Amino acid sequence: MAKIIGSSLSNIPWQSKPLNCTDAIWRYTNNPVIKRDAIPSSNSIFNSAIVPFENKFAGVFRCDSKSRSMDIFAGFSEDGINWSINHDPIKFEGADREILKVEYRYDPRVCFIEDRYWITWCNGYHGPTIGVGYTYDFKKFTQVENAFLPYNRNGVMFPRKIDGLYTMLSRPSDTGHTPFGDIFCSQSQDMTFWGKHRHVMSTIKTNASAWQSTKIGAGPIPIETTEGWLMIYHGVLNSCNGFVYSFGAALLEINRPWEVKYRTKPYLLSPQEYYECVGDVPNVVFPCAALTDASSGRIAIYYGCADTVTGLAFAEVDELVEYIKRNSL
Amino acid sequence: MAKIIGSSLSNIPWQSKPLNCTDAIWRYTNNPVIKRDAIPSSNSIFNSAIVPFENKFAGVFRCDSKSRSMDIFAGFSEDGINWSINHDPIKFEGADREILKVEYRYDPRVCFIEDRYWITWCNGYHGPTIGVGYTYDFKKFTQVENAFLPYNRNGVMFPRKIDGLYTMLSRPSDTGHTPFGDIFCSQSQDMTFWGKHRHVMSTIKTNASAWQSTKIGAGPIPIETTEGWLMIYHGVLNSCNGFVYSFGAALLEINRPWEVKYRTKPYLLSPQEYYECVGDVPNVVFPCAALTDASSGRIAIYYGCADTVTGLAFAEVDELVEYIKRNSL
Amino acid sequence: MAKIIGSSLSNIPWQSKPLNCTDAIWRYTNNPVIKRDAIPSSNSIFNSAIVPFENKFAGVFRCDSKSRSMDIFAGFSEDGINWSINHDPIKFEGADREILKVEYRYDPRVCFIEDRYWITWCNGYHGPTIGVGYTYDFKKFTQVENAFLPYNRNGVMFPRKIDGLYTMLSRPSDTGHTPFGDIFCSQSQDMTFWGKHRHVMSTIKTNASAWQSTKIGAGPIPIETTEGWLMIYHGVLNSCNGFVYSFGAALLEINRPWEVKYRTKPYLLSPQEYYECVGDVPNVVFPCAALTDASSGRIAIYYGCADTVTGLAFAEVDELVEYIKRNSL
Amino acid sequence: MAKIIGSSLSNIPWQSKPLNCTDAIWRYTNNPVIKRDAIPSSNSIFNSAIVPFENKFAGVFRCDSKSRSMDIFAGFSEDGINWSINHDPIKFEGADREILKVEYRYDPRVCFIEDRYWITWCNGYHGPTIGVGYTYDFKKFTQVENAFLPYNRNGVMFPRKIDGLYTMLSRPSDTGHTPFGDIFCSQSQDMTFWGKHRHVMSTIKTNASAWQSTKIGAGPIPIETTEGWLMIYHGVLNSCNGFVYSFGAALLEINRPWEVKYRTKPYLLSPQEYYECVGDVPNVVFPCAALTDASSGRIAIYYGCADTVTGLAFAEVDELVEYIKRNSL
Amino acid sequence: MAKIIGSSLSNIPWQSKPLNCTDAIWRYTNNPVIKRDAIPSSNSIFNSAIVPFENKFAGVFRCDSKSRSMDIFAGFSEDGINWSINHDPIKFEGADREILKVEYRYDPRVCFIEDRYWITWCNGYHGPTIGVGYTYDFKKFTQVENAFLPYNRNGVMFPRKIDGLYTMLSRPSDTGHTPFGDIFCSQSQDMTFWGKHRHVMSTIKTNASAWQSTKIGAGPIPIETTEGWLMIYHGVLNSCNGFVYSFGAALLEINRPWEVKYRTKPYLLSPQEYYECVGDVPNVVFPCAALTDASSGRIAIYYGCADTVTGLAFAEVDELVEYIKRNSL
Amino acid sequence: MAKIIGSSLSNIPWQSKPLNCTDAIWRYTNNPVIKRDAIPSSNSIFNSAIVPFENKFAGVFRCDSKSRSMDIFAGFSEDGINWSINHDPIKFEGADREILKVEYRYDPRVCFIEDRYWITWCNGYHGPTIGVGYTYDFKKFTQVENAFLPYNRNGVMFPRKIDGLYTMLSRPSDTGHTPFGDIFCSQSQDMTFWGKHRHVMSTIKTNASAWQSTKIGAGPIPIETTEGWLMIYHGVLNSCNGFVYSFGAALLEINRPWEVKYRTKPYLLSPQEYYECVGDVPNVVFPCAALTDASSGRIAIYYGCADTVTGLAFAEVDELVEYIKRNSL
């Protein structure tokens, strides 16, 4: 039976699976947990990252303004459900002014490694690439070098060094609404110079699993389990009326996370509720963070809905891992 | 006054026209009749074909799985409204293994001719083409040669031979989301070799009838009437936010069904209800089957809604034929 | 404090701002005010123009038929909310038959200047251009020369001559769903020959104001105020799932209206309500007319919703002008 | 027998038709007459306009620089074949600085009307439109208002007022390599305000005349003849390897030049020589000017070759007009 | 050692291989053999079909006119090199007027089977499809049913029935410059009704053989040899500056010609000579016919050059078959 | 007066500037120096890299095969003009098999640093990226990690460490014929992990320098001069008939080579000769290597012509640097 390798965290949000539900993942009944107008300037608050912080929770939130400008904001919560998000975007400090210039920032992830919270996001630097920064306290933020050359999106750190190297997943992209995209893995000794780029997984071009036929990208920080890294990821199908974003999961080798052990053929969650189907970008569920409790095996997944609001879904690790194995491509 | 030429079938689904309705077609008030999750593996059940069978009803259903793979399934119903759909897709037998390979299958139609139920569907064979098979009992299924070279969709049989030849409508297409498409008619002596290809009707490129300006395709098996073949067909408008699928109808010459006598300038039904506007492909109504009662002139039309669920709509043949004639292009 | 320069009109539609609303514009609680099927032949009634007329109100309405053909119709109302729209489209008279040929007509604006109501609309003449006509009574209509060569849309008159010249805003376009588009200003001595074309404003290509990054176009007849011409305009963002139409406002120099004094960085209204997000073209709010009361400073804005129905929103001139100045690009 | 209505001009360039040539137009044997590097800064000199001037010849030349910037230059010749082109581009004077800003300028035409030489060209003003200026002496140049809103190209004046109005042909376009385009006619009382826009002719979408299936545009100043205005125009075919520019001719009604009397089904000249097929844009012949001698009926046509050099071709008016009539669509 | 199965034909065009040539195919030194203006109306004469006829040669030629309309013409030659082509296109007779309507006709092939010469070509019938006709004498021509529904090109007959059925190769296409395309095989009992569609071969998407990565299509009538059907076919590479057409060859199973035994990894001929690289469509070699002499094993291949002229190349069957086997994918 | 900082190399190829040439760069009169068929299997030999080696010259050559597969080959020359190229592609050794898999390889550069020759090239690894390897003797080759994630092209090393770090220019790209592209600079401590990504220069979108408006990419290894790094680079203009590749040059700050001091507004060389305009990709000049003699200031530039053959051009450093400064954007 699969177990989470990590801390116990009994206060994460939780709701038991509905009685007649046969899926491996189920939605929070009070979704969306974060509304589009949760701060005065916001048009929408969606693809956002949450972590445990000082026995409570902190997060970095994508809040698109009423100018439809994309930026990231810090926020805090006692229960992971009711959030107080700062009204001003994160301001990074750092050594090199070239790096600190802000074009646009979106789709953050937050990952605690050793002593600090690393933040990665899609950062505008003559095109989208992976911005990197860190904080100890969600008050003061330091930005370091962009991890890669443009054009890249969905940079997601592993929560510990692997073989002594910082390790990041990402999805090389182009300058626009990228109609292709595989997941790659890269490593670094110092969070500045990156290399050892390995291909992790491709889209599925056949009918076997069309929900992930156009592009795929890592979601929350991978969860270490006794069965491998549990990587929840989004996949995109290109219908005649636009992209549909669903999400599934894979299990990656612990020591060589560019090797895929299992990968869901069906999606785990697809846009079906009103708040997932109707909004600024219809038909999107986009996971960016997960809270886990190693004791109980509970997982709470935060995901953007229709690029407009933030939803919450739940799973239990043993059931989910079992599902991935039984329904693998 | 137009009459249906065919069997009496008093048990088809029916609801009278609402009092203040002035349209020739009206929706069933309990739509959708088939939900997206009617079988455990299904993501959606929509463009599907229903026929009378042993005093009850049988059908071939497009059920897209939670992998978003497209396949066809048999199902049965006592009343045409409550359906029991098999949990496994149809398995065809046949003489040639090359033909039996399954890439993907979708958008079936079912047509009873002489002694058996012919099934046609969009069949993946190095691109989409028209797959052909038959059954006597909806238990055992035999597949024969694909009717045409790729790329083709919406192959729809006439319910009897015309001039001694099997006759099929189809819509030649391309490899993707085909942004063009006319209806053609083809004939065969033996359901294996096809020829005598005739153009039936084109899209309307002007403002006169823009709902059918991008592509058109035959829907249910044409209904024989005293005024010609009643062909219900879908049409597509290309808005700045994607395709909108509506449906209308035409009357074709009985003996030369590639000759169009009348054709609706207005649509008969367009996506307006929530379940037609919101779903995996927003703004789609797509008819694939009709049940008719020659005695009463009642017609029950099954149509896919938003590529997600299945709806039902009703018409009376004399009123509908009259409407087509009065509102013809 | 900004004031409207114009007539008092105490009978325009009005609702006070909701208590907890902090926006400069708020929706009418009974939206949509005009339903899609308000006349028997209509599929949708949306981007339409309303003016005060004989102490009541008249208008020119875009009613797309159930053939999805686009045309303009006259209508009348006592209160600006309940409308009686003619069942037949406007029939223009005029001297030159070449000009009177109808291909298609949509997105009208109506502007009273001196002695008559000028109507401008997107007019099909070997491609979309700006059709021009006038009426004294909304019964008899005269069409004059198209203002410009194709391809053009969103021609909007100023409500008085500027420097002795009729003055019109427009958005040069292409033959299709134009993925670019700036606002220009042109002038005429006689409403037949046009020149002195000046660029007014461009789209904003950066993250600063992405809601207006793809194309922009003037909306209602500009409102003369003590702070300049108040021009409400739509802007389009190109998401991976299609265009999103929002609207904002600018203040133009009174005597040189091609000079922009202020321009909103945030949108004033974006598609968020069901009737704005779901319909024939999802995610569209498109303003075409405004009624104003100079005494109270009240403004009532009519806007198309999802290319399907017509909505109403309200603002107060001093608050709105102040908002534009404080939130200017 | 068709005759030119105009001046005698016995010194225009001329070569008799080769003996075995059966075409209505033949090339100068020493083509190209202007090489790509005829001035020090030039990368190419091609689509250019020539007129009789003080018993000799003057012209306005499109010289693209080695920066591949597009601009127009004046030049002079004694024989129409050997040209001395200024090394600096034309500098216009004018009343309005907004108009005088230079973005880019290309494809000029020159037309003498009454007392001066009018120059029209494709002028960058927030997109391509028709720039207008004049000179008396090819030394001092005055620029007036752009004739139209963007986006437009190939503005060509008629050499006298028609019905008291200046008259210009043009081809409305888009912001890029325009894959569509018809010829329109517009009129003006004062060369500032333009109106009375009339459609002149469309592309031919069928196999009947595919050389003009993608877009068409007027070439030299129309030549007045006893059979109507002789308009030489280019047409474009879209092959799988790019556009092919050929040219043909039409006869327009003298008093209503938007009415086409005859129009060549075959091209008159297509890219076949090395200097027409190989260069910066392969497969282009693009006529911009013609010199005529009313006494002899001789016509000398200047045309750009492969967007690189300038060529010369000849015709006799009676033979050419006869050819147009006999080979008309 | 491979031998041709067929007639001896000692008078086919021939030139020995140049001394230092190491390729399996070599060009005729007097290429092009047919110039673009070989008949008065022609702009170009290229993709054309030649057969032995009454001890001499006859052919069906694609002659595009100076209107750039595409049509097919009959022609005759004593030596296969000097051709006399009719000045008027082929006029077919036939039973059904619907079939005889001419939209456009191009890229013919001619195949003698049993008692007559079958002609297939790309035929416009609401889109391109395979037109079919026959002649006994190249004077009287009869047209029968189009073989397939649109959209199809490059229909090429086998020179005898296979398993009692007429057999044709073709390349399903779309409405434009088709950027995809595999070769399929279809069969018929009567040249009217076609079926048993089998996939023959796909494009090669990898670097292994990029000259055939975009689309492929059969060329001359397949040549029966002791090693299988020798099918010469064209392949297309999509460069950043357009399509490049080369040609290679395959060996197909004699009794199941949809099974590929060998297929060249390198091209046999690619556009390298001036007349292949420069013309109406640069960089095209497109084979449509071959003459063979079973006694000597000589093969003379006719191919279109740059869509402008016709070239000739030679091979010896044993060397060519050996080359195909040694250089097979 | 600018001087080259580097070795004297008196035996590099050289021809004096022609008398009447006023350009800063001139072609070798015997171009092309390497023909397309210089090795038996080659279709074309073009974008290739040459370096001094053991008092003679060695190189890495892009030879596309007659299968149109792209690969790199080593070669040797005594005079830099007559080359002996290996008949088999380079075979790399290395520690990680994942890295050694060959998809495709093209457009190599070679750069001597400290003790070895580093080779960089466009390397297929789930999309194009920058492959890296080295050799000491052009016999044994070792491959190391790809420098970057896909998608990237034109990776060009600086010939010494800068600030203690290996430094590479590159052009992030997409999966196809990339219609955008800027030059970036990246650094590494160890040739494995890369970071400190800086933007160097963008395309020029205005008319000022249209030859470099679509994409740009570094060419030869930058040449160290007393005035900065002399970087020769290609630029692309997108004509209606495809891309045109020219080349220019820039001067970069010695210690911060991402800072551009000067950059040519005009191109230095554009495709004008037959062998540059006609070939597999018409209209391409693409520089990949330069030999320099510090004593004389001579520079010999090798460049690919029409993606088919290899040409040679010459410059003198002081004149070239002066030209760049005087003609800078």
Side-chain angles (χ1 to χ4, degrees), chain B residues 249-281:
Chain B
L251 289 169
L252 310 178
E253 274 287 349
I254 286 292
N255 296 317
R256 299 172 56 83
W258 47 87
E259 293 184 1
V260 180
K261 297 169 68 176
Y262 299 96
R263 173 181 178 185
T264 51
K265 192 167 119 171
Y267 58 71
L268 291 171
L269 198 85
S270 87
Q272 305 198 0
E273 297 296 322
Y274 180 87
Y275 56 88
E276 297 163 344
C277 296
V278 176
D280 283 344
V281 182

Side-chain angles (χ1 to χ4, degrees), chain D residues 90-262:
Chain D
I90 289 173
K91 192 160 166 31
F92 284 101
E93 301 177 358
D96 191 325
R97 273 191 296 182
E98 174 81 0
I99 286 299
L100 295 177
K101 286 180 209 156
V102 176
E103 285 185 33
Y104 52 80
R105 306 185 292 194
Y106 63 81
D107 293 357
R109 272 75 165 189
V110 181
C111 184
F112 186 79
I113 309 177
E114 294 170 352
D115 63 347
R116 74 192 78 179
Y117 299 90
W118 288 96
I119 305 164
T120 54
W121 66 92
C122 183
N123 189 41
Y125 178 71
H126 302 275
T129 187
I130 306 303
V132 184
Y134 60 83
T135 184
Y136 295 96
D137 54 9
F138 288 91
K139 288 182 192 147
K140 188 160 171 294
F141 295 86
T142 304
Q143 185 168 355
V144 299
E145 292 284 333
N146 292 318
F148 308 120
L149 284 166
Y151 306 94
N152 207 317
R153 293 182 176 96
N154 295 305
V156 177
M157 295 294 300
F158 281 82
R160 62 170 175 79
K161 289 185 185 170
I162 296 175
D163 204 20
L165 298 170
Y166 292 101
T167 304
M168 195 195 292
L169 301 167
S170 74
R171 204 264 311 287
S173 303
D174 69 9
T175 55
H177 292 311
T178 317
F180 58 86
D182 290 359
I183 298 175
F184 287 76
C185 183
S186 305
Q187 296 188 304
S188 174
Q189 296 158 317
D190 49 20
M191 291 296 285
T192 292
F193 297 99
W194 291 84
K196 293 203 171 183
H197 310 289
R198 291 292 178 277
H199 185 258
V200 180
M201 61 194 218
S202 295
T203 55
I204 305 298
K205 291 297 180 199
T206 67
N207 187 50
S209 188
W211 70 269
Q212 50 186 323
S213 55
T214 297
K215 52 182 170 176
I216 53 176
I221 303 307
I223 298 164
E224 191 165 6
T225 78
T226 51
E227 302 291 318
W229 293 105
L230 170 58
M231 175 182 71
I232 297 168
Y233 66 98
H234 68 263
V236 178
L237 178 152
N238 186 14
S239 90
C240 67
N241 280 1
F243 288 163
V244 178
Y245 284 76
S246 306
F247 67 81
L251 290 169
L252 311 178
E253 274 287 349
I254 286 293
N255 296 319
R256 300 171 56 82
W258 47 86
E259 293 184 0
V260 179
K261 297 169 68 176
Y262 299 96

Side-chain angles (χ1 to χ4, degrees), chain F residues 291-323:
Chain F
L291 296 173
T292 58
D293 175 27
S295 305
S296 64
R298 289 174 176 174
I299 303 174
I301 301 164
Y302 292 85
Y303 66 101
C305 305
D307 275 20
T308 304
V309 296
T310 306
L312 194 48
F314 303 107
E316 290 188 278
V317 71
D318 54 345
E319 183 188 357
L320 179 55
V321 166
E322 190 62 23
Y323 183 89

